Amino acid sequence: MPAKKRGVRIPWVIDSRGDRYDRSEIDRQPAPRYVVPLKRGGCGTRVSARHGNADDPDSRTSHYFRIDPHTAACRYDLDQRGKQLVDQAPGTVVRKAGQWRLICPPLHHGGTGGHKPVPGGTARPARAGGSAPRVTSKQAGAAIASARRIVRILDDFDQDPDVAAEFAAVAPNGRRDIPWSEFCLGRANADQLAQALLDGTAAPIPHAVWGPVHAADAAGRNHDSYVVMYHATNPVHIDGKPVRLRVAVRSTQADWIGANTRSGQVLGYGYWQLFPTDPAQARRQGWIELQLWVKQPWQATRWDTDGTTITLPEPRTTPKPAPERRTSPPPATAPPAPAPTSKARATPPPQDGWPAEREPDAAPEPHEDVPQPSAPPTEPAPAAPSHPAVVVPPLPPFPPPVPDARERRTRFARWLDIARRSRRA
């Protein structure tokens, strides 16, 4: 990048009558309306005007340039403001190759809504190998604050491309010297990122998008998420048709995005996506949203708010349906009883799935000419014991005693004596 011969351009001046003019007044025909001498807007030092020269690489556009040195508090002293930027957040902005480079904090590339924050409030390392140190929320928040300061510096210079060229970004994936106009986009050029996402040409890096807040409120059917948004200046084009673009920063935490105020500016840092994801649907409905779901409290920052706040509705709690209770199947019912005769009383149907007890059949009616004997009084039968008696079978008799030897000899002698007598007879 060629070195600037005369530094950055002065965005506006004040003439001798106190009227304010921007750079477009230099080329006004037939002559500019301002009356010299001119003073720098903001600090009052003397300046002069120079018309564009196509042959001079540093003067191709008309601009104002300073004659006297900057005052101590001049906000157009870019060198001084760049030094303050480095001192306010050491390690987040470095001066290299004639540029102030913002060191972007690493951030996990997640999906859309419902993102879970990284536990412990730390961002993941930039490289998968684990050699890069983890960045705490405090360090990441300081980097986003530096991005906000750069945006405010460029806003003081009316987003002059020459001033923007003095800044660059270093992506978490190691890509360096990313042009600031590619990394950080505002309301006037947010459509460039949205169009690149539609065309599939967006760089795979987190981007910073900022702009003036037009709306802030609770979102979702149950008011359980929040949104801060604005409408971009330029539309995107889908199949040749212009489609309106809105930029939305969303979160489940209202204080992370300052959803309670509809004033000031907002900046969100992360991986932006489009909603709806179907370009044909966006073309039919006539609008598309460039949205960022904030998963960490440091991903968004607000400034220039006027102090007014709104009351956000409380989230609605939807009661969960009670789980279905499993009921045991009813017991099997008895087969249906035969239809009652004309003499029998009809039995009511069973209730609650239980069989009805059958009533005894009615006794036959007595004949008129046959006297019926009176039934003798019956004594009530003894109540059956609640527990049946246990019947114990009788034990077998003991075996007869075995005779000893003496008794056996006596029996034999008796038998022999009887045998002898029978022979004699």
Side-chain angles (χ1 to χ4, degrees):
M1 184 182 66
K4 296 288 187 302
K5 295 180 180 179
R6 303 182 185 277
V8 296
R9 317 302 188 213
I10 299 171
W12 58 278
V13 296
I14 299 176
D15 69 352
S16 60
R17 297 173 300 186
D19 297 333
R20 174 173 171 170
Y21 297 97
D22 60 12
R23 289 190 296 264
S24 63
E25 189 67 24
I26 299 176
D27 297 325
R28 186 179 182 88
Q29 296 298 330
R33 293 173 296 179
Y34 52 71
V35 179
V36 294
L38 304 178
K39 295 182 180 180
R40 183 200 306 268
C43 67
T45 59
R46 292 185 306 160
V47 298
S48 180
R50 176 175 294 174
H51 292 278
N53 184 359
D55 297 331
D56 188 352
D58 193 47
S59 302
R60 290 176 180 174
T61 59
S62 299
H63 58 275
Y64 300 107
F65 64 95
R66 64 183 176 88
I67 299 176
D68 298 333
H70 294 286
T71 60
C74 180
R75 60 179 176 175
Y76 298 110
D77 187 354
L78 187 60
D79 292 336
Q80 182 64 26
R81 297 192 69 176
K83 293 178 182 178
Q84 294 174 356
L85 190 66
V86 174
D87 296 338
Q88 287 173 344
T92 63
V93 178
V94 296
R95 181 71 172 174
K96 190 172 183 180
Q99 291 179 312
W100 286 283
R101 295 182 179 179
L102 174 71
I103 309 300
C104 300
L107 185 66
H108 176 58
H109 192 352
T112 54
H115 313 296
K116 296 181 179 179
V118 179
T122 58
R124 298 190 179 185
R127 299 178 183 177
S131 58
R134 289 184 178 271
V135 178
T136 63
S137 295
K138 183 177 180 180
Q139 294 171 331
I144 303 306
S146 295
R148 181 192 66 213
R149 296 186 188 102
I150 295 174
V151 168
R152 301 192 71 173
I153 291 174
L154 295 179
D155 216 20
D156 288 339
F157 286 91
D158 289 344
Q159 301 297 322
D160 185 355
D162 290 335
V163 182
E166 300 284 341
F167 298 90
V170 179
N173 60 6
R175 181 185 171 191
R176 301 181 180 276
D177 63 13
I178 302 174
W180 189 261
S181 58
E182 179 184 337
F183 164 73
C184 185
L185 303 102
R187 182 171 180 242
N189 58 352
D191 59 292
Q192 297 178 9
L193 176 59
Q195 192 69 53
L197 290 172
L198 281 170
D199 300 338
T201 59
I205 60 172
H207 290 83
V209 181
W210 68 280
V213 175
H214 294 163
D217 208 341
R221 295 181 179 179
N222 297 327
H223 297 161
D224 54 355
S225 65
Y226 306 91
V227 61
V228 174
M229 68 172 62
Y230 66 87
H231 298 281
T233 304
N234 303 315
V236 295
H237 292 80
I238 302 176
D239 296 334
K241 178 184 177 180
V243 177
R244 291 175 299 170
L245 175 66
R246 69 186 187 193
V247 180
V249 180
R250 297 180 178 270
S251 177
T252 57
Q253 304 294 327
D255 55 337
W256 288 5
I257 60 176
N260 62 341
T261 179
R262 296 170 179 168
S263 63
Q265 311 280 338
V266 62
L267 181 145
Y269 168 81
Y271 292 93
W272 293 76
Q273 295 182 342
L274 296 176
F275 178 84
T277 57
D278 184 10
Q281 180 182 350
R283 188 177 186 273
R284 288 193 303 268
Q285 67 188 16
W287 63 269
I288 195 169
E289 180 177 292
L290 179 64
Q291 66 175 211
L292 172 69
W293 277 93
V294 171
K295 301 179 295 182
Q296 301 282 4
W298 51 264
Q299 283 185 254
T301 181
R302 299 288 305 274
W303 70 96
D304 287 348
T305 56
D306 58 7
T308 60
T309 59
I310 60 175
T311 302
L312 298 172
E314 293 292 334
R316 300 172 184 170
T317 56
T318 303
K320 297 182 179 180
E324 297 182 359
R325 300 179 61 183
R326 296 184 178 180
T327 56
S328 57
T333 57
T341 60
S342 59
K343 299 297 183 178
R345 186 171 55 186
T347 303
Q351 301 292 332
D352 299 332
W354 293 92
E357 297 181 357
R358 183 179 178 184
E359 296 185 358
D361 297 338
E365 297 181 0
H367 201 273
E368 294 180 359
D369 56 352
V370 179
Q372 298 296 327
S374 58
T378 59
E379 297 180 358
S386 58
H387 300 284
V390 180
V391 178
V392 181
L395 297 176
F398 291 101
V402 180
D404 54 2
R406 182 184 301 176
E407 187 176 356
R408 286 197 300 269
R409 287 194 300 269
T410 302
R411 290 181 179 179
F412 178 75
R414 292 177 182 176
W415 174 83
L416 184 60
D417 183 51
I418 295 174
R420 288 174 180 174
R421 288 179 183 177
S422 60
R423 286 181 181 180
R424 291 177 183 174

